[in-house]
């Protein structure tokens, strides 16, 4: 027990001694650390003070530099502002000087205006006084002139206006006459030369067609066979061909009547073959007519191709070739239209060559200008418009289409090619014998021409000559002067163009004769 206590006391003592020694040791070690920390702190503080002094010096230097820089900039801005203010001051002074000058000028003007305003009433009074005097003088002068002239001022005005109108009319007539003479000296001679050259180089044949065809029979017995039992053969022929078959008392002949020349030609050829064959009955008639119809179509096509080749017009649409070939069986004023188209094509080519134009284009326009006559019985409208529509539809150029459409017009829209077509068309139609008219129509046109000429004042006598293509008018020389004759001729031409329809052109000649007579004693 004692040992155990002793051990416990020893242990406690050892523990106490250890604690005391640990405390002492920690105290000593703490003092050392404290001394070391104080030294380190003093060192850091010393270095911090040095750095702070350095930073302070640098900050002071930077502040001084910034201050100097700011001062320099402020001085520069101050100088610039001063210069700018000096300039503004100079401008303001200059404007003030100008304003002073303007004020002086305005003051002078105001003074001048005031002086003029003061003088205006006086001048107005003087002018009014002069106006009154002038009015009195004019009235007195007018009265004296009326007394001397024996007429009033209104009568004098009318007389003066009439004299001026007469003078203007005479001057206009003289100017027109001079212009026409100058134009004739230049254009007319050249046109005559070109036309004469073309006409002399070309002379074409012409074929006249009628609205009826006569088929010759070998004997009168053939008429009965053509008529058939109860007229059945005639009815079959008329139904198959669309024409009228006339059987009358004409010996050894029958007449085929139709306005369609192609149908008439088919009927003629069919009837001739039936007569040659001898077998005439409805079945045979239909067979022959159908065969001949195909042959005529072939002839039409071949004719169109041959004509276009002969004239030198190529690359024509097949439909236009067919229309061109069908013109072989059509006529206008008894002139064959195909032959007329050939004439126009050749004349166009010659005139175009003289004028240095496109010869092929001119020939093409001349050849196709009347293709509308091949279809105008089926479609409404003039043949020129119909032909132009077909030409446009089948690929012809706009120049050709325009020439076809305008070849019967004298409008301002016509082209040089259209004018050439008109000239060639007139030349072909005006050739003596090319066209024939009925006697009644011929006489009627002559009478209408003379009636129009006699409707004008101052006309003494008139005579229509050259088959109505020229009218010569004799005027009374006491009533119509030379200048009046020029105007009368133009007025008659305008009235003829407005009231008459005629192929080609009509020449109007006004003749004024002056005779002087005296006696030898």
């Amino acid at each position: 027990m004692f040992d155990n206590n002793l051990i416990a006391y020893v242990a406690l003592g050892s523990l106490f001694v250890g604690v005391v020694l640990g405390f002492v040791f920690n105290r000593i070690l703490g003092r050392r650390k404290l001394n070391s920390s104080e030294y380190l702190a003093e060192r850091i503080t010393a270095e911090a003070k040095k750095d702070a002094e350095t930073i302070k010096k640098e900050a002071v230097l930077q502040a001084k530099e910034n201050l100097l820089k700011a001062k320099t900039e402020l001085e520069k801005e101050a100088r610039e502002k001063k210069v700018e203010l000096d300039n503004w001051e100079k401008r303001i002074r200059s404007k003030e000087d100008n304003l002073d000058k303007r004020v002086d000028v305005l003051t002078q003007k105001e003074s001048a205006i005031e002086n003029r305003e003061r003088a205006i009433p006086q001048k107005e009074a003087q002018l009014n006084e002069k106006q009154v005097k002038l009015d009195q003088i004019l009235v007195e002068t007018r009265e004296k002139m009326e007394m001397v002239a024996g007429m009033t001022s209104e009568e004098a005005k009318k007389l003066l206006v009439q004299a001026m109108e007469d003078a203007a009319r005479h001057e206009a007539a003289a100017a027109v006459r001079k212009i026409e003479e100058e134009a004739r000296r230049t254009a007319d001679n050249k046109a005559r030369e070109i036309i004469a050259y073309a006409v002399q180089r070309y002379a074409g044949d012409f074929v006249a067609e009628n609205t009826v065809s006569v088929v010759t029979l070998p004997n009168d017995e053939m008429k009965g066979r053509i008529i058939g039992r109860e007229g059945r053969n005639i009815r079959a022929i008329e139904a198959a061909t669309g024409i009228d078959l006339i059987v009358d008392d004409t010996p050894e002949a029958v007449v085929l009547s139709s306005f369609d020349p192609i149908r008439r030609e088919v009927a003629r050829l069919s009837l001739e073959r039936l007569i040659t064959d001898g077998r005439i009955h409805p079945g045979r008639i239909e067979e022959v007519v159908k065969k001949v119809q195909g042959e005529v179509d072939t002839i039409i096509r071949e004719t169109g191709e041959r004509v276009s080749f002969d004239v030198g017009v190529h690359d024509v649409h097949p439909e236009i070739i067919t229309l061109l070939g069908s013109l072989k069986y059509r006529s206008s004023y008894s002139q064959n239209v195909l032959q007329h188209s050939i004439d126009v094509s050749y004349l166009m080519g010659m005139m175009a060559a003289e004028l240095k134009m496109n010869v092929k284009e001119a020939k093409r326009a001349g050849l196709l200008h009347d293709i509308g006559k091949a279809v105008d019985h089926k479609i409404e409208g003039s043949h020129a418009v119909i032909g132009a529509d077909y030409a446009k539809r089948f690929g012809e150029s706009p120049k050709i289409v325009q020439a076809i459409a305008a070849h019967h017009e004298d409008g301002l829209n016509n082209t040089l090619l259209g004018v050439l077509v008109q000239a060639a068309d007139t030349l072909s139609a005006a050739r003596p014998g090319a066209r024939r008219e009925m006697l009644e129509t011929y006489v009627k046109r002559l009478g209408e021409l003379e009636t129009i000429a006699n409707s004008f004042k101052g006309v003494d006598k008139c005579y229509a000559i050259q088959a109505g293509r020229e009218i010569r008018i004799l005027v009374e020389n006491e009533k119509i002067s030379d200048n009046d004759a020029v105007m009368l001729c133009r007025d008659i031409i305008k009235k003829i163009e407005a009231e008459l329809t005629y192929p080609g052109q009509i020449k109007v000649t006004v003749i004024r004769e002056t005779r002087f007579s005296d006696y030898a004693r």
Side-chain angles (χ1 to χ4, degrees), residues 8 21 25 246 352 421:
L21 289 175
F25 179 76
I246 301 172
V421 174

Side-chain angles (χ1 to χ4, degrees), residues 361-376:
E361 187 178 69
K363 282 187 173 184
R364 194 181 194 92
L367 184 64
L368 303 181
H369 80 284
D370 267 346
I371 59 172
K373 290 183 177 179
V375 292
D376 59 359

